[in-house]
Amino acid sequence: MFPKFEKLITATSILAHGIICGLVLIDGLVLNSIPAQLRHWAELFIPYSIIYSIWSILQLVLEVDNPYTTDDDSDVDTIYSYLDWISSPAMAAAVVLTMTFVMAPIVHIILWGLSLLGRRYIQENDTDTDSEAAKSHDADLETEEMEDIDLENK
């Protein structure tokens, strides 16, 4: 069912996928503590997957050369050998659908769980949030609101 992968792991593949993935994970989960939300899968990954699939088809139809293929590779310049929409469209569609609706949600749920570890929640009755500066700021806002109401009534 799957085509033979002759060069499964290469230095180019590791640099293009593994190193970048590691850097993004470190940046997003450790350094910046960016919260991953479950809705991000539907809002970001599904449109990206559709656009990428369209591009993989257009690359074959418009005969855009793949710079990473060599002379001994197949005649078709696919992005990945399993995204060959010309010779095996059912296989390419199965890969796209599986990656979009099975693998991506699983990976996203794992990332969501990891992002929960770095979250810090502040309770409303926390004494640190009731500082004098915060109380003063709240009082200033209330005074401004009252002044605005008085001006509107005049």
Side-chain angles (χ1 to χ4, degrees):
M1 181 174 169
F2 292 100
K4 183 178 177 184
F5 298 107
E6 294 175 8
K7 299 177 184 177
L8 189 59
I9 299 175
T10 62
T12 304
S13 178
I14 291 171
L15 289 173
H17 300 92
I19 300 296
I20 298 298
C21 179
L23 290 174
V24 168
L25 287 174
I26 290 170
D27 181 49
L29 295 175
V30 178
L31 299 177
N32 292 317
S33 298
I34 298 171
Q37 298 178 355
L38 293 176
R39 68 186 179 107
H40 291 158
W41 171 74
E43 292 175 353
L44 299 172
F45 190 79
I46 291 178
Y48 175 79
S49 177
I50 292 169
I51 291 169
Y52 189 82
S53 300
I54 292 170
W55 170 248
S56 69
I57 294 169
L58 287 176
Q59 184 182 16
L60 289 174
V61 172
L62 300 175
E63 297 179 2
V64 177
D65 291 334
N66 184 350
Y68 297 109
T69 58
T70 60
D71 292 335
D72 59 340
D73 288 337
S74 66
D75 292 336
V76 179
D77 287 327
T78 59
I79 299 172
Y80 296 105
S81 59
Y82 48 83
L83 285 180
D84 188 356
W85 293 94
I86 293 175
S87 65
S88 58
M91 173 67 175
V95 167
V96 167
L97 292 173
T98 301
M99 293 303 293
T100 303
F101 296 106
V102 178
M103 295 303 296
I106 290 170
V107 170
H108 196 80
I109 288 171
I110 292 169
L111 291 175
W112 173 68
L114 290 173
S115 77
L116 289 176
L117 297 175
R119 293 186 188 177
R120 292 180 183 85
Y121 296 98
I122 298 174
Q123 296 179 0
E124 288 185 24
N125 60 358
D126 193 356
T127 57
D128 292 339
T129 60
D130 292 336
S131 67
E132 292 302 320
K135 288 179 184 177
S136 174
H137 179 68
D138 291 342
D140 291 342
L141 289 176
E142 288 176 10
T143 304
E144 288 177 13
E145 289 175 2
M146 293 304 291
E147 290 173 355
D148 289 343
I149 291 172
D150 287 341
L151 289 174
E152 289 175 2
N153 290 335
K154 289 184 180 182

